[in-house]
Amino acid sequence: MAARQGLVKIAQRIVDYPWVEQKQESLPPVSGTALHQAVLGTHLKIVEILLERRPELVERIDSNGNNALHYAAQKNNRRVVEMVLNKRTELAYKPNKERQSPLHVAAHYGSTEAIKALLRECPDVAEMVDSSGRNALHVSVASGKADALRCLLRGVRPAELLNRVDRNGNTPLHLAAKMSRVKAALLLLGDHRVDICFRDRDGQTARSYVEMNVETKLRTGDQLDAYEMHLLKQLKQQESKRCRKQQLPPISGRRRALNTKDFDSVVDAYFLAATLIATVTFAATFTMPGGYDQNRGIPLHGRSAAFKIFVLSNTVAMCSSVVVIFLLIWARQEPVRLRLHNLMWTQTLTIIACLAMLVSLMTAVYVTVAPIAPWLADAVIAIGACSPALFFFISWLGR
């Protein structure tokens, strides 16, 4: 009780008084010894007193087989871990009833300071596995403790530990992929020692499991996580670079069937885009670049080639967007086959309208700016011409 409450003077008086050693009980106490309680309460002074005056307590375990170092690893107290290790270093290698070492416990609770202390004093403890065949890396992934995993990756040296399989045949990366531990998977992916080409008992890589998770969410209508999509992209890129000579599961190319809800969302997006284009191009018709001759009512730059290109491109953008609007209105009332046919043409015409509006912008700026600032007009044309190339480049990066 004194150790649990941190009553240093009372604890000191008790240990100073001569103890009568009683017969050891057949079963360990559920809550452990006074040393366990002092460690749980992070009462350093009492821990120091008990280790000095009652050193036999350091060997005692609770009903689950946890020694004092297991408790220190749970509480993430580096000083207590170091004190216990200095007294009995071999405690780092003693598992509890679930075959968990103190490093397993630290990984489960995300105790980064305890992990550093344990690996510094006993680096080979990272090789220990629990009753499921998992090492500390597996445990940190399963518990979702990314900081603990980052600490383990920095402290663990043998590369085979990063690719060791548990009893179910999962490496830490496979486990992260199956459990959708995206942050942990990205950390593992960033370590060159991790073998992303490894196939489990079912012949699957981590990439194929992430792909299955994404397809399941698409099929059930669940919201996709942007980080999970980023992970899938990174896994595909790494596989294409590092696994060229190995047989891997094929990358799925299946797409979700377009249901009514999806169709309505796509139609609304195209309808909004087409309406905006039609509005802008219609307004541009009455505000000709360069203005009008006030006496005759004709455009001042009507004879220039750039102005003629502006008129043509503006007309193409306007008419294409109007056709898109009518196609979408008609598509809502037709059978599925005709809907998809109209949607396909809608996509094509929307692209044409956007490109034509881009040309209209460039020529309008050129007509009005070129006479006074030719370099500025040329810069606008260059920027506008690069826009489609930028789109295709970004799309290519996403493949």
Side-chain angles (χ1 to χ4, degrees):
M1 291 176 63
R4 184 185 305 125
Q5 298 297 328
L7 306 176
V8 179
K9 292 183 178 180
I10 295 178
Q12 181 72 60
R13 289 287 298 273
I14 292 175
V15 297
D16 286 343
Y17 192 84
W19 285 21
V20 177
E21 188 66 29
Q22 297 181 350
K23 185 179 179 181
Q24 182 68 29
E25 297 179 1
S26 58
L27 294 176
V30 175
S31 59
T33 66
L35 181 58
H36 289 85
Q37 295 300 317
V39 171
L40 271 181
T42 64
H43 303 304
L44 298 181
K45 185 61 178 178
I46 297 181
V47 171
E48 185 178 353
I49 293 172
L50 292 175
L51 288 176
E52 180 183 354
R53 302 298 301 274
R54 303 295 296 176
E56 70 276 6
L57 292 179
V58 80
E59 301 283 353
R60 305 283 177 84
I61 58 175
D62 65 6
S63 57
N64 292 319
N66 296 303
N67 58 48
L69 194 55
H70 286 93
Y71 280 60
Q74 174 185 341
K75 299 303 291 185
N76 195 27
N77 193 306
R78 178 184 57 84
R79 180 69 183 122
V80 175
V81 171
E82 291 173 346
M83 291 168 62
V84 176
L85 283 175
N86 289 335
K87 198 68 176 180
R88 290 286 191 280
T89 305
E90 60 271 19
L91 288 181
Y93 304 95
K94 289 191 175 182
N96 58 20
K97 289 186 177 180
E98 296 181 358
R99 304 297 302 168
Q100 293 177 331
S101 69
L103 185 62
H104 283 96
V105 175
H108 176 76
Y109 285 97
S111 304
T112 55
E113 294 300 320
I115 291 173
K116 293 176 184 177
L118 287 166
L119 291 179
R120 183 170 55 252
E121 298 294 330
C122 311
D124 53 341
V125 73
E127 300 179 13
M128 296 184 66
V129 296
D130 60 13
S131 57
S132 300
R134 295 178 175 180
N135 58 27
L137 293 161
H138 289 95
V139 173
S140 63
V141 170
S143 59
K145 299 298 188 295
D147 290 337
L149 177 60
R150 184 182 293 107
C151 189
L152 286 166
L153 290 174
R154 291 173 181 172
V156 172
R157 292 289 171 244
E160 58 268 18
L161 294 181
L162 278 67
N163 301 299
R164 184 164 292 176
V165 297
D166 60 13
R167 289 191 176 180
N168 295 322
N170 296 315
T171 66
L173 183 59
H174 276 84
L175 199 62
K178 287 183 176 181
M179 300 181 70
S180 296
R181 305 294 192 196
V182 178
K183 195 171 182 179
L186 289 172
L187 285 172
L188 290 165
L189 192 60
D191 196 307
H192 68 278
R193 297 173 295 172
V194 176
D195 183 9
I196 66 169
C197 311
F198 184 85
R199 302 176 69 168
D200 65 2
R201 295 173 183 174
D202 298 324
Q204 302 295 330
T205 62
R207 183 265 307 160
S208 54
Y209 281 115
V210 175
E211 205 168 42
M212 291 177 192
N213 292 338
V214 170
E215 288 186 354
T216 300
K217 289 183 178 180
L218 287 172
R219 189 167 54 252
T220 58
D222 293 340
Q223 185 176 2
L224 284 176
D225 186 357
Y227 291 103
E228 193 166 17
M229 296 301 296
H230 174 67
L231 172 61
L232 180 58
K233 175 186 173 182
Q234 293 297 318
L235 285 169
K236 288 180 179 179
Q237 289 181 350
Q238 292 295 325
E239 276 193 5
S240 65
K241 294 177 182 178
R242 298 163 58 181
C243 313
R244 295 178 180 177
K245 298 181 180 180
Q246 301 188 36
Q247 184 69 25
L248 298 177
I251 295 177
S252 174
R254 292 178 298 172
R255 295 193 178 185
R256 178 177 53 163
L258 194 67
N259 55 36
T260 303
K261 183 178 179 181
D262 296 328
F263 179 82
D264 290 340
S265 299
V266 173
V267 166
D268 290 340
Y270 277 120
F271 195 89
L272 177 61
T275 303
L276 288 173
I277 294 172
T279 303
V280 171
T281 53
F282 181 80
T285 305
F286 297 97
T287 55
M288 291 293 181
Y292 293 90
D293 186 325
Q294 298 297 326
N295 297 323
R296 294 184 293 172
I298 60 175
L300 296 176
H301 298 277
R303 295 176 180 243
S304 67
F307 181 84
K308 295 174 182 178
I309 296 174
F310 163 78
V311 173
L312 289 175
S313 59
N314 193 68
T315 303
V316 170
M318 173 72 181
C319 295
S320 298
S321 58
V322 169
V323 173
V324 167
I325 293 172
F326 278 104
L327 283 174
L328 295 177
I329 294 175
W330 195 260
R332 290 183 181 272
Q333 307 171 12
E334 294 298 327
V336 175
R337 184 175 179 181
L338 188 56
R339 283 185 176 188
L340 295 178
H341 174 78
N342 286 3
L343 193 60
M344 180 185 66
W345 275 103
T346 292
Q347 184 178 15
T348 303
L349 290 173
T350 303
I351 294 173
I352 293 173
C354 288
L355 292 175
M357 188 170 61
L358 185 62
V359 174
S360 177
L361 166 71
M362 292 188 292
T363 52
V365 172
Y366 186 84
V367 166
T368 55
V369 176
I372 57 173
W375 67 270
L376 183 58
D378 294 337
V380 170
I381 292 177
I383 294 172
C386 291
S387 299
L390 180 61
F391 165 77
F392 287 112
F393 176 71
I394 295 173
S395 301
W396 175 78
L397 287 178
R399 293 182 181 273

